[in-house]
Amino acid sequence: VRQVEQFTFKPPQIVRPMQPQTAMSGRSVRFSVQACGLPQPQVTWYKDSQALSTSYKCKFLHDGDEHTLLLLEVFPEDATVYSCTAKNDYGEATSSAPLNVEGMSSRRGVKTLGFV
């Protein structure tokens, strides 16, 4: 029985990685990843290697193995690489993808392009 228990624990694995996203300035955008592992991994989202927390700018959604970062309103200065790490006691897995933001910036009133 003990051998069977050892094989039920699995390090996290990114089953479907994040995809590059492009959004108009002032709009919302989603990054999704499908991660599995046993026990179920804890997913942490990052912007430029800085851990994100739920705020007026972003929300974290979770449905089974599907994890989503929802950026509620993006501007050219948000154009960078976003990543997530799925971690449990047996390991970790990471996925990352760039965000491109294009169009008018309501903050500055000038047309700007933000690309990674």
Side-chain angles (χ1 to χ4, degrees):
V1 174
R2 210 179 255 305
Q3 278 186 329
V4 173
E5 287 176 4
Q6 288 176 348
F7 289 109
T8 61
F9 298 110
K10 296 178 183 173
Q13 182 180 359
I14 302 295
V15 180
R16 193 180 69 247
M18 295 169 62
Q19 298 296 315
Q21 299 294 327
T22 298
M24 293 298 295
S25 185
R27 303 307 274 279
S28 65
V29 69
R30 290 173 182 254
F31 282 104
S32 292
V33 67
Q34 189 174 351
C36 65
L38 283 172
Q40 189 170 36
Q42 184 73 35
V43 171
T44 306
W45 293 95
Y46 299 89
K47 175 185 177 182
D48 274 339
S49 303
Q50 289 281 101
L52 292 170
S53 57
T54 299
S55 69
Y56 68 95
K57 280 202 67 141
C58 66
K59 303 282 182 224
F60 308 131
L61 309 173
H62 172 228
D63 182 15
D65 290 343
E66 181 90 15
H67 297 268
T68 301
L69 168 63
L70 174 59
L71 301 172
L72 299 171
E73 194 176 21
V74 295
F75 295 98
E77 57 266 29
D78 296 314
T80 189
V81 174
Y82 290 80
S83 61
C84 74
T85 300
K87 188 183 293 188
N88 69 15
D89 292 340
Y90 300 92
E92 67 179 64
T94 301
S95 180
S96 61
L99 170 64
N100 294 318
V101 180
E102 53 191 32
M104 296 294 289
S105 171
S106 60
R107 288 186 185 170
R108 298 192 185 107
V110 292
K111 187 168 176 88
T112 55
L113 288 172
F115 290 99
V116 175

